[in-house]
Amino acid sequence: DPAGDFRAFIRSLNYELESGSLLLARTFTPTLNTGLCRAQLDEIAARCRELMIEPSTVREKCRVLNRVLFHEWGFHGNREHYTDPRNSFLNEVLDRRKGIPITLALVYIEVGRRAGIELEGINFPGHFLVRHRGVPGTQYSRDLIIDAHHGGALLSEQVCRDLLTRHIEGDAADAPPLLAHATKRQILARMLLNLKQIGRAHV
């Protein structure tokens, strides 16, 4: 009962992002072998670790992630068919190597975790992003803001503000949730909301 498994996961309040996204995918593809999806992420991360030369900065490690994900494996944003429901399921994104910002960010975060990089989602309005938090008091104190939908591009806060003005009316300079951290629960909820909106659009 894939739908029942996903409901049980939600009720447990013990949110684990990769498991939650795969359980969500199983509600639409009951025969999905989630182990193969995990193995695919393992394989990508192993290639990243192979190319990382220590000591490396996080920025240098993210460049390796970008090379492996977007050049060697060919992941990219599905701009032509943005509302295709398959863009919202982790297994489909891994198979087809294309998706929307939140699912590509999910792949980026999970591969990064396996490669030893601490990353988090940013609940950016209209466009999901990834962040590595800087370490205060060090030469790496600045956050890295990453756009997985555009080949892992590194964005400045000003570029983020410019992006925000495309999605809201008025001045975005004082928008408090500009770079708000996205919890695992919020990421899963946003994926569900995307699917709900896509479903309504196709009715």
Side-chain angles (χ1 to χ4, degrees):
D1 179 15
D5 290 342
F6 183 67
R7 285 194 296 269
F9 170 83
I10 295 299
R11 293 188 185 115
S12 74
L13 302 180
N14 183 24
Y15 300 130
E16 196 274 308
L17 187 56
E18 183 177 312
S19 295
S21 60
L22 289 172
L23 285 170
L24 172 61
R26 279 188 65 233
T27 64
F28 287 80
T29 308
T31 59
L32 173 64
N33 186 333
T34 59
L36 290 179
C37 297
R38 296 182 192 274
Q40 214 167 347
L41 292 168
D42 290 342
E43 182 181 354
I44 300 170
R47 173 59 176 161
C48 291
R49 291 194 300 271
E50 178 185 334
L51 295 176
M52 290 177 182
I53 301 173
E54 298 293 355
S56 296
T57 66
V58 172
R59 184 182 290 265
E60 289 167 341
K61 290 179 179 179
C62 286
R63 289 196 185 108
V64 171
L65 256 69
N66 291 349
R67 168 181 165 177
V68 174
L69 283 170
F70 306 117
H71 297 282
E72 293 189 7
W73 281 70
F75 284 92
H76 61 281
N78 191 356
R79 301 178 186 87
E80 297 82 8
H81 303 286
Y82 195 89
T83 59
D84 187 330
R86 292 176 293 179
N87 293 328
S88 294
F89 299 118
L90 179 56
N91 62 310
E92 293 284 359
V93 174
L94 289 171
D95 287 344
R96 301 166 71 231
R97 301 186 189 181
K98 56 186 174 182
I100 54 178
I102 193 167
T103 46
L104 290 173
L106 172 62
V107 172
Y108 202 96
I109 290 170
E110 291 304 320
V111 170
R113 178 177 62 81
R114 286 166 163 80
I117 307 173
E118 293 185 17
L119 300 166
E120 65 181 25
I122 296 178
N123 225 358
F124 191 80
H127 193 87
F128 202 85
L129 299 171
V130 177
R131 170 170 54 208
H132 171 77
R133 288 191 180 271
V135 181
T138 72
Q139 60 178 319
Y140 308 114
S141 60
R142 297 185 63 181
D143 292 352
L144 294 182
I145 303 171
I146 302 154
D147 185 353
H149 195 249
H150 292 92
L154 295 179
L155 307 181
S156 68
E157 187 166 333
Q158 183 56 53
V159 169
C160 291
R161 293 192 184 281
D162 293 341
L163 280 172
L164 185 58
T165 58
R166 302 177 190 176
H167 299 283
I168 68 171
E169 295 181 359
D171 186 5
D174 299 319
L178 176 65
L179 298 175
H181 165 64
T183 65
K184 295 173 183 177
R185 177 181 180 276
Q186 289 171 330
I187 294 173
L188 291 169
R190 187 159 171 169
M191 291 171 69
L192 286 167
L193 180 61
N194 285 343
L195 285 168
K196 181 179 179 181
Q197 292 172 337
I198 291 169
R200 284 178 173 175
H202 286 81
V203 171

mmCIF file of all heavy atoms in Angstrom, residues 89-126:
data_model
loop_
_atom_site.group_PDB
_atom_site.id
_atom_site.type_symbol
_atom_site.label_atom_id
_atom_site.label_comp_id
_atom_site.label_asym_id
_atom_site.label_seq_id
_atom_site.Cartn_x
_atom_site.Cartn_y
_atom_site.Cartn_z
ATOM 1 N N PHE A 89 8.987 13.876 -9.452
ATOM 2 C CA PHE A 89 9.279 12.591 -8.819
ATOM 3 C C PHE A 89 10.758 12.266 -8.939
ATOM 4 O O PHE A 89 11.328 12.266 -10.034
ATOM 5 C CB PHE A 89 8.432 11.487 -9.454
ATOM 6 C CG PHE A 89 6.953 11.701 -9.300
ATOM 7 C CD1 PHE A 89 6.133 11.852 -10.415
ATOM 8 C CD2 PHE A 89 6.388 11.772 -8.040
ATOM 9 C CE1 PHE A 89 4.774 12.044 -10.269
ATOM 10 C CE2 PHE A 89 5.019 11.976 -7.888
ATOM 11 C CZ PHE A 89 4.212 12.116 -8.999
ATOM 12 N N LEU A 90 11.377 11.945 -7.807
ATOM 13 C CA LEU A 90 12.820 11.730 -7.777
ATOM 14 C C LEU A 90 13.263 10.631 -8.734
ATOM 15 O O LEU A 90 14.267 10.769 -9.435
ATOM 16 C CB LEU A 90 13.256 11.397 -6.343
ATOM 17 C CG LEU A 90 14.745 11.107 -6.131
ATOM 18 C CD1 LEU A 90 15.603 12.262 -6.615
ATOM 19 C CD2 LEU A 90 15.025 10.797 -4.668
ATOM 20 N N ASN A 91 12.516 9.526 -8.800
ATOM 21 C CA ASN A 91 12.915 8.436 -9.693
ATOM 22 C C ASN A 91 12.901 8.871 -11.152
ATOM 23 O O ASN A 91 13.798 8.508 -11.937
ATOM 24 C CB ASN A 91 11.998 7.229 -9.497
ATOM 25 C CG ASN A 91 10.549 7.528 -9.829
ATOM 26 O OD1 ASN A 91 9.979 8.515 -9.358
ATOM 27 N ND2 ASN A 91 9.922 6.691 -10.642
ATOM 28 N N GLU A 92 11.901 9.658 -11.543
ATOM 29 C CA GLU A 92 11.810 10.122 -12.925
ATOM 30 C C GLU A 92 12.945 11.107 -13.240
ATOM 31 O O GLU A 92 13.504 11.091 -14.343
ATOM 32 C CB GLU A 92 10.458 10.794 -13.160
ATOM 33 C CG GLU A 92 9.263 9.866 -13.084
ATOM 34 C CD GLU A 92 9.118 8.997 -14.335
ATOM 35 O OE1 GLU A 92 9.934 9.143 -15.265
ATOM 36 O OE2 GLU A 92 8.174 8.179 -14.370
ATOM 37 N N VAL A 93 13.260 11.949 -12.287
ATOM 38 C CA VAL A 93 14.349 12.913 -12.491
ATOM 39 C C VAL A 93 15.673 12.167 -12.657
ATOM 40 O O VAL A 93 16.491 12.515 -13.522
ATOM 41 C CB VAL A 93 14.417 13.901 -11.313
ATOM 42 C CG1 VAL A 93 15.640 14.812 -11.433
ATOM 43 C CG2 VAL A 93 13.150 14.754 -11.264
ATOM 44 N N LEU A 94 15.890 11.130 -11.865
ATOM 45 C CA LEU A 94 17.118 10.346 -11.989
ATOM 46 C C LEU A 94 17.168 9.605 -13.327
ATOM 47 O O LEU A 94 18.229 9.521 -13.957
ATOM 48 C CB LEU A 94 17.221 9.345 -10.836
ATOM 49 C CG LEU A 94 17.507 9.942 -9.453
ATOM 50 C CD1 LEU A 94 17.367 8.875 -8.372
ATOM 51 C CD2 LEU A 94 18.888 10.576 -9.404
ATOM 52 N N ASP A 95 16.035 9.067 -13.775
ATOM 53 C CA ASP A 95 16.000 8.324 -15.037
ATOM 54 C C ASP A 95 16.142 9.246 -16.244
ATOM 55 O O ASP A 95 16.902 8.960 -17.182
ATOM 56 C CB ASP A 95 14.695 7.539 -15.154
ATOM 57 C CG ASP A 95 14.664 6.330 -14.237
ATOM 58 O OD1 ASP A 95 15.736 5.928 -13.750
ATOM 59 O OD2 ASP A 95 13.559 5.796 -13.993
ATOM 60 N N ARG A 96 15.407 10.366 -16.224
ATOM 61 C CA ARG A 96 15.350 11.248 -17.382
ATOM 62 C C ARG A 96 16.404 12.361 -17.324
ATOM 63 O O ARG A 96 16.646 13.048 -18.295
ATOM 64 C CB ARG A 96 13.956 11.858 -17.482
ATOM 65 C CG ARG A 96 12.858 10.805 -17.609
ATOM 66 C CD ARG A 96 11.467 11.379 -17.377
ATOM 67 N NE ARG A 96 11.068 12.237 -18.482
ATOM 68 C CZ ARG A 96 10.604 13.474 -18.340
ATOM 69 N NH1 ARG A 96 10.507 14.020 -17.135
ATOM 70 N NH2 ARG A 96 10.236 14.169 -19.388
ATOM 71 N N ARG A 97 16.964 12.543 -16.118
ATOM 72 C CA ARG A 97 18.027 13.541 -15.886
ATOM 73 C C ARG A 97 17.575 14.963 -16.189
ATOM 74 O O ARG A 97 18.345 15.793 -16.678
ATOM 75 C CB ARG A 97 19.292 13.166 -16.664
ATOM 76 C CG ARG A 97 19.798 11.794 -16.251
ATOM 77 C CD ARG A 97 21.107 11.397 -16.859
ATOM 78 N NE ARG A 97 21.391 9.998 -16.564
ATOM 79 C CZ ARG A 97 22.488 9.346 -16.937
ATOM 80 N NH1 ARG A 97 23.412 9.982 -17.638
ATOM 81 N NH2 ARG A 97 22.657 8.076 -16.629
ATOM 82 N N LYS A 98 16.336 15.210 -15.879
ATOM 83 C CA LYS A 98 15.816 16.568 -15.980
ATOM 84 C C LYS A 98 14.665 16.726 -15.003
ATOM 85 O O LYS A 98 13.977 15.758 -14.666
ATOM 86 C CB LYS A 98 15.369 16.896 -17.397
ATOM 87 C CG LYS A 98 14.346 15.950 -18.002
ATOM 88 C CD LYS A 98 14.105 16.321 -19.463
ATOM 89 C CE LYS A 98 13.187 15.307 -20.154
ATOM 90 N NZ LYS A 98 13.003 15.638 -21.584
ATOM 91 N N GLY A 99 14.490 17.971 -14.543
ATOM 92 C CA GLY A 99 13.453 18.213 -13.562
ATOM 93 C C GLY A 99 13.228 19.698 -13.364
ATOM 94 O O GLY A 99 13.635 20.522 -14.185
ATOM 95 N N ILE A 100 12.588 20.019 -12.262
ATOM 96 C CA ILE A 100 12.328 21.416 -11.904
ATOM 97 C C ILE A 100 13.259 21.793 -10.749
ATOM 98 O O ILE A 100 13.949 20.934 -10.201
ATOM 99 C CB ILE A 100 10.843 21.610 -11.531
ATOM 100 C CG1 ILE A 100 10.409 20.619 -10.436
ATOM 101 C CG2 ILE A 100 9.966 21.478 -12.773
ATOM 102 C CD1 ILE A 100 8.974 20.779 -9.980
ATOM 103 N N PRO A 101 13.300 23.071 -10.374
ATOM 104 C CA PRO A 101 14.273 23.492 -9.362
ATOM 105 C C PRO A 101 14.279 22.664 -8.090
ATOM 106 O O PRO A 101 15.358 22.310 -7.586
ATOM 107 C CB PRO A 101 13.872 24.948 -9.099
ATOM 108 C CG PRO A 101 13.329 25.423 -10.411
ATOM 109 C CD PRO A 101 12.597 24.239 -10.964
ATOM 110 N N ILE A 102 13.109 22.314 -7.551
ATOM 111 C CA ILE A 102 13.098 21.639 -6.258
ATOM 112 C C ILE A 102 13.609 20.204 -6.351
ATOM 113 O O ILE A 102 14.309 19.732 -5.437
ATOM 114 C CB ILE A 102 11.687 21.685 -5.628
ATOM 115 C CG1 ILE A 102 11.751 21.273 -4.154
ATOM 116 C CG2 ILE A 102 10.687 20.837 -6.412
ATOM 117 C CD1 ILE A 102 10.494 21.584 -3.378
ATOM 118 N N THR A 103 13.304 19.490 -7.424
ATOM 119 C CA THR A 103 13.776 18.112 -7.526
ATOM 120 C C THR A 103 15.246 18.054 -7.921
ATOM 121 O O THR A 103 15.971 17.161 -7.464
ATOM 122 C CB THR A 103 12.925 17.306 -8.516
ATOM 123 O OG1 THR A 103 12.718 18.062 -9.724
ATOM 124 C CG2 THR A 103 11.573 16.960 -7.905
ATOM 125 N N LEU A 104 15.715 18.982 -8.733
ATOM 126 C CA LEU A 104 17.146 19.038 -9.028
ATOM 127 C C LEU A 104 17.926 19.444 -7.781
ATOM 128 O O LEU A 104 19.030 18.953 -7.544
ATOM 129 C CB LEU A 104 17.412 20.011 -10.183
ATOM 130 C CG LEU A 104 16.912 19.534 -11.550
ATOM 131 C CD1 LEU A 104 17.063 20.638 -12.588
ATOM 132 C CD2 LEU A 104 17.663 18.284 -12.008
ATOM 133 N N ALA A 105 17.333 20.336 -6.975
ATOM 134 C CA ALA A 105 17.964 20.704 -5.700
ATOM 135 C C ALA A 105 18.035 19.491 -4.779
ATOM 136 O O ALA A 105 19.030 19.287 -4.073
ATOM 137 C CB ALA A 105 17.182 21.832 -5.041
ATOM 138 N N LEU A 106 16.987 18.684 -4.794
ATOM 139 C CA LEU A 106 16.961 17.467 -3.983
ATOM 140 C C LEU A 106 18.105 16.535 -4.384
ATOM 141 O O LEU A 106 18.822 16.001 -3.515
ATOM 142 C CB LEU A 106 15.613 16.779 -4.143
ATOM 143 C CG LEU A 106 15.452 15.387 -3.534
ATOM 144 C CD1 LEU A 106 15.644 15.433 -2.025
ATOM 145 C CD2 LEU A 106 14.070 14.824 -3.866
ATOM 146 N N VAL A 107 18.286 16.324 -5.668
ATOM 147 C CA VAL A 107 19.397 15.493 -6.146
ATOM 148 C C VAL A 107 20.729 16.095 -5.705
ATOM 149 O O VAL A 107 21.623 15.389 -5.203
ATOM 150 C CB VAL A 107 19.348 15.349 -7.681
ATOM 151 C CG1 VAL A 107 20.615 14.656 -8.202
ATOM 152 C CG2 VAL A 107 18.110 14.572 -8.109
ATOM 153 N N TYR A 108 20.871 17.404 -5.849
ATOM 154 C CA TYR A 108 22.111 18.100 -5.485
ATOM 155 C C TYR A 108 22.406 17.917 -3.999
ATOM 156 O O TYR A 108 23.547 17.610 -3.601
ATOM 157 C CB TYR A 108 21.964 19.585 -5.819
ATOM 158 C CG TYR A 108 23.259 20.330 -6.001
ATOM 159 C CD1 TYR A 108 23.798 20.530 -7.269
ATOM 160 C CD2 TYR A 108 23.955 20.844 -4.913
ATOM 161 C CE1 TYR A 108 24.982 21.226 -7.447
ATOM 162 C CE2 TYR A 108 25.142 21.539 -5.081
ATOM 163 C CZ TYR A 108 25.653 21.726 -6.356
ATOM 164 O OH TYR A 108 26.838 22.407 -6.521
ATOM 165 N N ILE A 109 21.389 18.090 -3.158
ATOM 166 C CA ILE A 109 21.565 17.976 -1.708
ATOM 167 C C ILE A 109 21.949 16.554 -1.307
ATOM 168 O O ILE A 109 22.859 16.341 -0.494
ATOM 169 C CB ILE A 109 20.279 18.417 -0.985
ATOM 170 C CG1 ILE A 109 20.078 19.928 -1.121
ATOM 171 C CG2 ILE A 109 20.315 18.017 0.494
ATOM 172 C CD1 ILE A 109 18.713 20.422 -0.658
ATOM 173 N N GLU A 110 21.266 15.559 -1.888
ATOM 174 C CA GLU A 110 21.520 14.174 -1.498
ATOM 175 C C GLU A 110 22.861 13.670 -2.014
ATOM 176 O O GLU A 110 23.543 12.905 -1.329
ATOM 177 C CB GLU A 110 20.374 13.279 -1.974
ATOM 178 C CG GLU A 110 19.063 13.518 -1.238
ATOM 179 C CD GLU A 110 19.205 13.373 0.268
ATOM 180 O OE1 GLU A 110 19.925 12.448 0.717
ATOM 181 O OE2 GLU A 110 18.619 14.176 1.007
ATOM 182 N N VAL A 111 23.262 14.080 -3.212
ATOM 183 C CA VAL A 111 24.590 13.721 -3.702
ATOM 184 C C VAL A 111 25.652 14.436 -2.866
ATOM 185 O O VAL A 111 26.667 13.842 -2.476
ATOM 186 C CB VAL A 111 24.740 14.073 -5.197
ATOM 187 C CG1 VAL A 111 26.202 13.917 -5.647
ATOM 188 C CG2 VAL A 111 23.841 13.185 -6.048
ATOM 189 N N GLY A 112 25.407 15.717 -2.569
ATOM 190 C CA GLY A 112 26.346 16.454 -1.735
ATOM 191 C C GLY A 112 26.516 15.825 -0.367
ATOM 192 O O GLY A 112 27.632 15.721 0.154
ATOM 193 N N ARG A 113 25.415 15.384 0.245
ATOM 194 C CA ARG A 113 25.489 14.737 1.563
ATOM 195 C C ARG A 113 26.378 13.503 1.499
ATOM 196 O O ARG A 113 27.229 13.289 2.374
ATOM 197 C CB ARG A 113 24.079 14.363 2.020
ATOM 198 C CG ARG A 113 24.034 13.641 3.356
ATOM 199 C CD ARG A 113 22.608 13.360 3.780
ATOM 200 N NE ARG A 113 21.903 12.483 2.854
ATOM 201 C CZ ARG A 113 22.035 11.161 2.849
ATOM 202 N NH1 ARG A 113 22.866 10.568 3.692
ATOM 203 N NH2 ARG A 113 21.343 10.426 1.985
ATOM 204 N N ARG A 114 26.222 12.705 0.456
ATOM 205 C CA ARG A 114 27.035 11.505 0.317
ATOM 206 C C ARG A 114 28.504 11.842 0.077
ATOM 207 O O ARG A 114 29.392 11.044 0.400
ATOM 208 C CB ARG A 114 26.517 10.666 -0.858
ATOM 209 C CG ARG A 114 25.213 9.930 -0.579
ATOM 210 C CD ARG A 114 24.616 9.414 -1.875
ATOM 211 N NE ARG A 114 23.598 8.393 -1.688
ATOM 212 C CZ ARG A 114 22.336 8.638 -1.358
ATOM 213 N NH1 ARG A 114 21.938 9.895 -1.176
ATOM 214 N NH2 ARG A 114 21.476 7.648 -1.217
ATOM 215 N N ALA A 115 28.746 13.007 -0.510
ATOM 216 C CA ALA A 115 30.116 13.423 -0.813
ATOM 217 C C ALA A 115 30.734 14.260 0.313
ATOM 218 O O ALA A 115 31.839 14.779 0.165
ATOM 219 C CB ALA A 115 30.149 14.209 -2.123
ATOM 220 N N GLY A 116 30.005 14.400 1.425
ATOM 221 C CA GLY A 116 30.546 15.100 2.577
ATOM 222 C C GLY A 116 30.348 16.602 2.581
ATOM 223 O O GLY A 116 31.079 17.323 3.266
ATOM 224 N N ILE A 117 29.349 17.091 1.842
ATOM 225 C CA ILE A 117 29.077 18.534 1.790
ATOM 226 C C ILE A 117 27.729 18.789 2.457
ATOM 227 O O ILE A 117 26.712 18.209 2.060
ATOM 228 C CB ILE A 117 29.032 19.048 0.337
ATOM 229 C CG1 ILE A 117 30.294 18.646 -0.416
ATOM 230 C CG2 ILE A 117 28.882 20.568 0.315
ATOM 231 C CD1 ILE A 117 30.242 18.966 -1.898
ATOM 232 N N GLU A 118 27.713 19.651 3.446
ATOM 233 C CA GLU A 118 26.474 19.977 4.146
ATOM 234 C C GLU A 118 25.719 21.058 3.362
ATOM 235 O O GLU A 118 26.182 22.180 3.254
ATOM 236 C CB GLU A 118 26.772 20.463 5.566
ATOM 237 C CG GLU A 118 27.355 19.389 6.470
ATOM 238 C CD GLU A 118 27.519 19.870 7.897
ATOM 239 O OE1 GLU A 118 26.896 20.894 8.258
ATOM 240 O OE2 GLU A 118 28.258 19.215 8.650
ATOM 241 N N LEU A 119 24.585 20.675 2.832
ATOM 242 C CA LEU A 119 23.772 21.577 2.029
ATOM 243 C C LEU A 119 22.355 21.603 2.570
ATOM 244 O O LEU A 119 21.906 20.651 3.212
ATOM 245 C CB LEU A 119 23.765 21.127 0.557
ATOM 246 C CG LEU A 119 25.122 21.068 -0.138
ATOM 247 C CD1 LEU A 119 25.016 20.300 -1.440
ATOM 248 C CD2 LEU A 119 25.652 22.474 -0.396
ATOM 249 N N GLU A 120 21.642 22.678 2.290
ATOM 250 C CA GLU A 120 20.245 22.796 2.708
ATOM 251 C C GLU A 120 19.448 23.481 1.610
ATOM 252 O O GLU A 120 20.009 24.158 0.744
ATOM 253 C CB GLU A 120 20.133 23.597 4.008
ATOM 254 C CG GLU A 120 20.569 25.048 3.877
ATOM 255 C CD GLU A 120 20.473 25.812 5.190
ATOM 256 O OE1 GLU A 120 20.528 25.174 6.266
ATOM 257 O OE2 GLU A 120 20.357 27.054 5.142
ATOM 258 N N GLY A 121 18.141 23.290 1.661
ATOM 259 C CA GLY A 121 17.272 23.950 0.701
ATOM 260 C C GLY A 121 16.931 25.359 1.146
ATOM 261 O O GLY A 121 16.936 25.676 2.339
ATOM 262 N N ILE A 122 16.644 26.215 0.168
ATOM 263 C CA ILE A 122 16.171 27.577 0.419
ATOM 264 C C ILE A 122 14.783 27.689 -0.184
ATOM 265 O O ILE A 122 14.598 27.488 -1.386
ATOM 266 C CB ILE A 122 17.100 28.630 -0.211
ATOM 267 C CG1 ILE A 122 18.490 28.585 0.430
ATOM 268 C CG2 ILE A 122 16.497 30.030 -0.070
ATOM 269 C CD1 ILE A 122 19.471 29.570 -0.190
ATOM 270 N N ASN A 123 13.822 28.019 0.670
ATOM 271 C CA ASN A 123 12.436 28.117 0.225
ATOM 272 C C ASN A 123 12.209 29.442 -0.492
ATOM 273 O O ASN A 123 11.372 30.248 -0.094
ATOM 274 C CB ASN A 123 11.500 27.991 1.420
ATOM 275 C CG ASN A 123 10.349 27.056 1.138
ATOM 276 O OD1 ASN A 123 10.211 26.530 0.044
ATOM 277 N ND2 ASN A 123 9.517 26.843 2.127
ATOM 278 N N PHE A 124 12.936 29.643 -1.568
ATOM 279 C CA PHE A 124 12.892 30.899 -2.297
ATOM 280 C C PHE A 124 11.571 30.997 -3.066
ATOM 281 O O PHE A 124 11.139 30.035 -3.684
ATOM 282 C CB PHE A 124 14.064 30.955 -3.279
ATOM 283 C CG PHE A 124 14.293 32.294 -3.896
ATOM 284 C CD1 PHE A 124 14.965 33.286 -3.209
ATOM 285 C CD2 PHE A 124 13.832 32.567 -5.170
ATOM 286 C CE1 PHE A 124 15.184 34.526 -3.786
ATOM 287 C CE2 PHE A 124 14.036 33.804 -5.752
ATOM 288 C CZ PHE A 124 14.719 34.781 -5.055
ATOM 289 N N PRO A 125 10.919 32.133 -3.026
ATOM 290 C CA PRO A 125 9.629 32.273 -3.729
ATOM 291 C C PRO A 125 9.770 32.054 -5.237
ATOM 292 O O PRO A 125 10.556 32.740 -5.897
ATOM 293 C CB PRO A 125 9.217 33.720 -3.423
ATOM 294 C CG PRO A 125 9.954 34.071 -2.179
ATOM 295 C CD PRO A 125 11.265 33.342 -2.267
ATOM 296 N N GLY A 126 9.052 31.084 -5.757
ATOM 297 C CA GLY A 126 9.024 30.872 -7.196
ATOM 298 C C GLY A 126 10.189 30.115 -7.789
ATOM 299 O O GLY A 126 10.157 29.755 -8.961
#
